Amino acid sequence: MRLFSRSILRGAAPLIALGAASLSMPAQAQDNAPATSPAAAEMAGQLGKNTITIGLGAAYLPDYEGSKDYSFSPAPAALAYIDGHTITYIGNRLSVDLIGDKANRDWDIQAGPIGVVNLDRTTSSGIDNPRVRALGKIGAAVELGGYVGIGKIGVITSPYDRLSVSLSYRHDVTGVHDSGIWQPSVNYFTPLSTKAAVGLFATAEHAGRGYARRYFSITPDQSAASGLPVYNARSGWKDWSIGGLVTYSITGNLLKGWKVVGGLTYGRELGNFADSPIVSQVGSRSQWLGALGLAYTF
């Protein structure tokens, strides 16, 4: 078992971001909430109020980015919605929305910092493939940056659903790969009832030259140690991912108490990243991630 590989960042983080949408509905949604049942009335009264969610689950994910071998990893998460601001933590990623929700508005403008600790291939014990292990370990990279986005409330299914688009950028500040990663994303989240909600997302990543060299290139020395051919990766679009999330309240209210959260994502390595021998020869261009856990909101 290994902790917080890059696959968790790429796959589970958008799922948790979708979950955060259920906690950050603007206060004006209270005016639109039909009190057709005691549970609905209770939920309507909680919309826009401060909440904190903590959760722990298990993720089934690739051994490294581009691997065909899979194993389980713990996946902790926490969300806080405080005075209109959302703080999201998932495994090795932390983000903060500095622009608070505004009352009586259907649009949600988002912007704030992001911090990521990239632990992909920092240890060899969690990598099954002996040739990839022979490439050697990579130091932990700390990637800092920010994001901007915009969301529309009440789009398709109800006054509470949300469609949002965002763009983030982060740069390694530790010198491990010393390059940047751009990530556009599209998210959709909708409650089905006071107990259940679903979300969908699509995202992609564009990685710089340093990232390509560090994680996907193979030097002559690495080639001699692993038996894989020498390869020089270049910057470009690295991958795309699509996925979905389902959350179900055990205690009857999505904004309070216990809930089960599950998600599934599919990703595809692209271009010269997919052509790297660690992907094309001993790995896989297709990347799956499944996650299931429990969360509590108070």
Side-chain angles (χ1 to χ4, degrees):
M1 180 179 290
R2 72 206 179 287
L3 191 62
F4 313 150
S5 85
R6 181 164 184 83
S7 298
I8 284 187
L9 161 67
R10 195 177 62 229
L15 295 178
I16 297 300
L18 287 174
S22 68
L23 302 178
S24 56
M25 297 175 186
Q28 114 276 348
Q30 298 177 54
D31 299 331
N32 300 323
T36 56
S37 69
E42 181 184 13
M43 185 172 177
Q46 291 171 331
L47 289 169
K49 292 186 177 180
N50 294 345
T51 58
I52 296 176
T53 299
I54 55 175
L56 180 63
Y60 187 64
L61 68 165
D63 287 353
Y64 62 89
E65 188 176 4
S67 174
K68 66 178 180 180
D69 300 311
Y70 288 72
S71 59
F72 287 95
S73 174
L79 304 170
Y81 180 70
I82 302 173
D83 297 333
H85 303 278
T86 303
I87 304 170
T88 306
Y89 161 73
I90 165 64
N92 57 345
R93 175 185 179 116
L94 178 68
S95 64
V96 181
D97 181 8
L98 295 179
I99 301 179
D101 293 335
K102 304 298 182 181
N104 301 318
R105 295 186 62 179
D106 295 330
W107 294 90
D108 176 26
I109 308 299
Q110 309 144 18
I114 292 176
V116 171
V117 180
N118 187 341
L119 300 178
D120 195 25
R121 290 166 55 192
T122 54
T123 65
S124 58
S125 59
I127 298 177
D128 290 340
N129 190 281
R131 287 189 282 180
V132 177
R133 288 201 306 268
L135 295 175
K137 295 185 291 185
I138 299 174
V142 178
E143 300 164 357
L144 301 180
Y147 74 99
V148 294
I150 184 170
K152 178 68 170 66
I153 313 299
V155 180
I156 302 173
T157 61
S158 75
Y160 315 116
D161 72 341
R162 174 189 298 234
L163 177 66
S164 62
V165 295
S166 64
L167 177 66
S168 68
Y169 175 80
R170 58 187 190 272
H171 195 282
D172 170 34
V173 298
T174 54
V176 173
H177 62 80
D178 195 25
S179 58
I181 301 167
W182 292 93
Q183 184 175 18
S185 299
V186 180
N187 296 329
Y188 177 72
F189 186 90
T190 182
L192 303 178
S193 67
T194 59
K195 292 184 177 181
V198 298
L200 301 170
F201 82 90
T203 188
E205 286 190 334
H206 184 284
R209 182 182 176 187
Y211 188 97
R213 287 201 311 263
R214 178 63 67 187
Y215 296 99
F216 289 87
S217 293
I218 299 175
T219 66
D221 288 343
Q222 288 177 319
S223 176
S226 66
L228 295 171
V230 173
Y231 185 78
N232 295 312
R234 305 178 306 277
S235 63
W237 287 103
K238 179 171 63 67
D239 58 58
W240 58 262
S241 298
I242 57 174
L245 168 142
V246 177
T247 178
Y248 183 82
S249 172
I250 301 173
T251 51
N253 187 329
L254 285 172
L255 301 183
K256 182 180 180 182
W258 290 98
K259 66 190 74 177
V260 178
V261 182
L264 180 69
T265 76
Y266 171 77
R268 187 78 176 175
E269 300 295 319
L270 298 174
N272 74 104
F273 296 91
D275 292 336
S276 170
I278 72 168
V279 180
S280 62
Q281 293 191 18
V282 296
S284 174
R285 290 175 171 85
S286 295
Q287 302 282 280
W288 291 91
L289 182 145
L292 182 65
L294 284 173
Y296 184 80
T297 300
F298 57 93

